[in-house]
Amino acid sequence: PHPILPPRRSPEYFNTEKIREHYNFTKGDSEASASTSRWVMSILIVILCCFIVLQNLLVLVSVCRNKKFHSAMYIFIGNLAFSDLLAGLAFMANILLSGSTTFNLTPVQWFVREGTAFATLAASVFSLLAIAIERHVAITKVKVYSSDKNCRMVLLIGACWVIAAAIGSLPIMGWNCMSDLRDCSTVLPLYSKRYLLFVITIFTLILVAIVGLYGRIYCIVRSSHADIATAQTLALLKTVTIVLGAFIVCWLPAFVILLMDASCALRKCWVLYKANYFFAFATLNSAANPVIYTLRSRDMRREFLRVLCCGRRDQRRGRCGLPLRASSSLERCSPKHDCPTATCPTGPMAPMGKSAAPGAGGGSG
């Protein structure tokens, strides 16, 4: 393996000609050409990223301003929204700095451009895993939120960002193909093919872990007593199906492209030159996550409307004519747990239109 050297010790990290050398070797002049269709696609992607940023910003504002959303699971939802917001910003910057602008960048700037996008998208995926872990703990423990709840929450959220940052920074720390053109990726000409295989492996393991965790939750809920097997169960299973479906649909094309990139010979797979479309499609997952995890909650929808149409609310009734009452089982607790409303462990998977059956919140997480 190549030695890991800080960029300041490697003059080639600041040589703009290195960018042109690697792109000419892997892509020819395809990156420099700017067709009308490419400009149109770039504009559409930027609009999509703006939507992702605004959508997730709305989630963050709603969670921050409403005290009844300050429970552990809502904090996880806020962390997911924050990672998706940063993913939208990073991908927007990536698009704006692509094309002919690429050749004005130094390798360090190029690694920051690509590494930031990798890190933020990875943080979004790891946040999905953290939510799956928390749901599994909540559904399998009788007393969900004990004295170690804050420690577990901090560890999960901290691990999301630490691991995501580590994955995104590996190329700039030395795992790249700066000194070996034959190992260079076609999609990302300064990235090593071995690094791409590593990323594919990590993301595949995450997918398997999420499927396994939700599969176990499904089995536990199906075999539980009546206090768990309620309408809340059906909402949980439906949400799980949507989450896994969105993740697979959005990310599978990008995984296939990266796998082809790592295995194809130089300039043999022409679909690799259209990789930006597949990564743009993967970014849709950042737009789908807020819809899946929050818009299925009536209370979150009410809070969204309050933020959008008035920005503030009265104590008993919103200025938009929306009463401030906990209508979903997200804020319900059973008498046997005797927990406060704001810390009810039912999580974001509760039924969203009608109130849960009596006792539905007890022990179900």
Side-chain angles (χ1 to χ4, degrees):
H2 301 292
I4 297 180
L5 298 175
R8 63 177 181 275
R9 298 182 183 177
S10 303
E12 62 183 7
Y13 276 75
F14 299 94
N15 183 3
T16 56
E17 291 302 317
K18 269 291 186 182
I19 300 290
R20 190 173 296 274
E21 175 188 354
H22 282 253
Y23 272 79
N24 286 340
F25 181 79
T26 58
K27 296 187 176 185
D29 60 349
S30 61
E31 186 72 11
S33 59
S35 61
T36 302
S37 60
R38 180 168 184 167
W39 278 105
V40 172
M41 188 63 186
S42 297
I43 293 174
L44 293 177
I45 294 175
V46 170
I47 294 174
L48 170 63
C49 291
C50 291
F51 174 74
I52 291 173
V53 171
L54 294 176
Q55 183 187 33
N56 286 281
L57 183 62
L58 177 61
V59 175
L60 287 173
V61 172
S62 299
V63 171
C64 290
R65 73 192 294 268
N66 195 326
K67 290 184 179 180
K68 81 179 171 185
F69 293 155
H70 291 178
S71 58
M73 276 310 303
Y74 278 115
I75 294 176
F76 278 103
I77 296 300
N79 179 66
L80 176 63
F82 182 63
S83 62
D84 286 336
L85 185 152
L86 293 182
L89 289 174
F91 198 73
M92 186 190 310
N94 190 290
I95 292 297
L96 295 176
L97 294 175
S98 296
S100 58
T101 308
T102 300
F103 301 109
N104 297 326
L105 303 176
T106 65
V108 168
Q109 294 170 331
W110 189 94
F111 283 130
V112 171
R113 185 191 77 177
E114 301 297 340
T116 302
F118 263 68
T120 52
L121 289 174
S124 178
V125 176
F126 279 114
S127 296
L128 293 176
L129 178 60
I131 290 176
I133 294 173
E134 181 64 20
R135 288 295 82 208
H136 182 267
V137 173
I139 204 81
T140 55
K141 295 180 67 174
V142 176
K143 188 175 181 181
V144 179
Y145 293 104
S146 56
S147 58
D148 65 342
K149 65 174 183 178
N150 290 332
C151 180
R152 183 173 70 245
M153 181 176 62
V154 171
L155 286 177
L156 285 174
I157 293 177
C160 287
W161 291 100
V162 170
I163 298 175
I167 290 176
S169 62
L170 283 175
I172 198 173
M173 296 302 295
W175 197 353
N176 54 59
C177 64
M178 294 281 287
S179 58
D180 186 7
L181 286 173
R182 293 171 298 178
D183 187 41
C184 286
S185 158
T186 299
V187 176
L188 301 163
L190 271 68
Y191 276 4
S192 167
K193 290 184 177 182
R194 291 171 295 169
Y195 171 74
L196 294 182
L197 284 175
F198 169 77
V199 172
I200 295 171
T201 302
I202 293 294
F203 279 31
T204 301
L205 290 176
I206 293 174
L207 177 58
V208 171
I210 293 176
V211 172
L213 286 171
Y214 281 129
R216 177 165 169 76
I217 292 174
Y218 176 85
C219 294
I220 292 174
V221 170
R222 286 293 300 269
S223 61
S224 297
H225 299 293
D227 60 341
I228 294 180
T230 62
Q232 186 174 359
T233 299
L234 299 178
L236 169 63
L237 297 180
K238 184 176 180 180
T239 302
V240 169
T241 303
I242 296 173
V243 170
L244 294 180
F247 184 90
I248 293 173
V249 169
C250 291
W251 279 102
L252 184 59
F255 288 170
V256 173
I257 284 294
L258 291 178
L259 188 60
M260 292 177 60
D261 190 13
S263 57
C264 282
L266 182 64
R267 300 186 185 183
K268 295 297 183 181
C269 299
W270 291 101
V271 69
L272 298 179
Y273 299 108
K274 303 296 183 181
N276 285 340
Y277 297 100
F278 295 90
F279 286 111
F281 187 71
T283 309
L284 286 174
N285 189 240
S286 295
N289 288 334
V291 176
I292 296 171
Y293 281 97
T294 62
L295 294 185
R296 282 176 53 81
S297 166
R298 184 193 299 182
D299 295 305
M300 288 298 291
R301 290 197 297 269
R302 289 177 180 274
E303 187 63 30
F304 288 167
L305 290 175
R306 293 189 190 101
V307 172
L308 290 174
C309 69
C310 55
R312 64 189 181 91
R313 54 184 172 82
D314 298 327
Q315 287 186 349
R316 297 183 60 85
R317 190 173 185 85
R319 291 293 301 276
C320 301
L322 299 174
L324 298 178
R325 58 187 180 89
S327 57
S328 75
S329 58
L330 284 170
E331 287 77 32
R332 294 178 182 268
C333 294
S334 68
K336 65 181 180 181
H337 284 286
D338 194 24
C339 55
T341 300
T343 59
C344 178
T346 52
M349 310 300 185
M352 310 303 167
K354 297 181 180 181
S355 299
S364 62

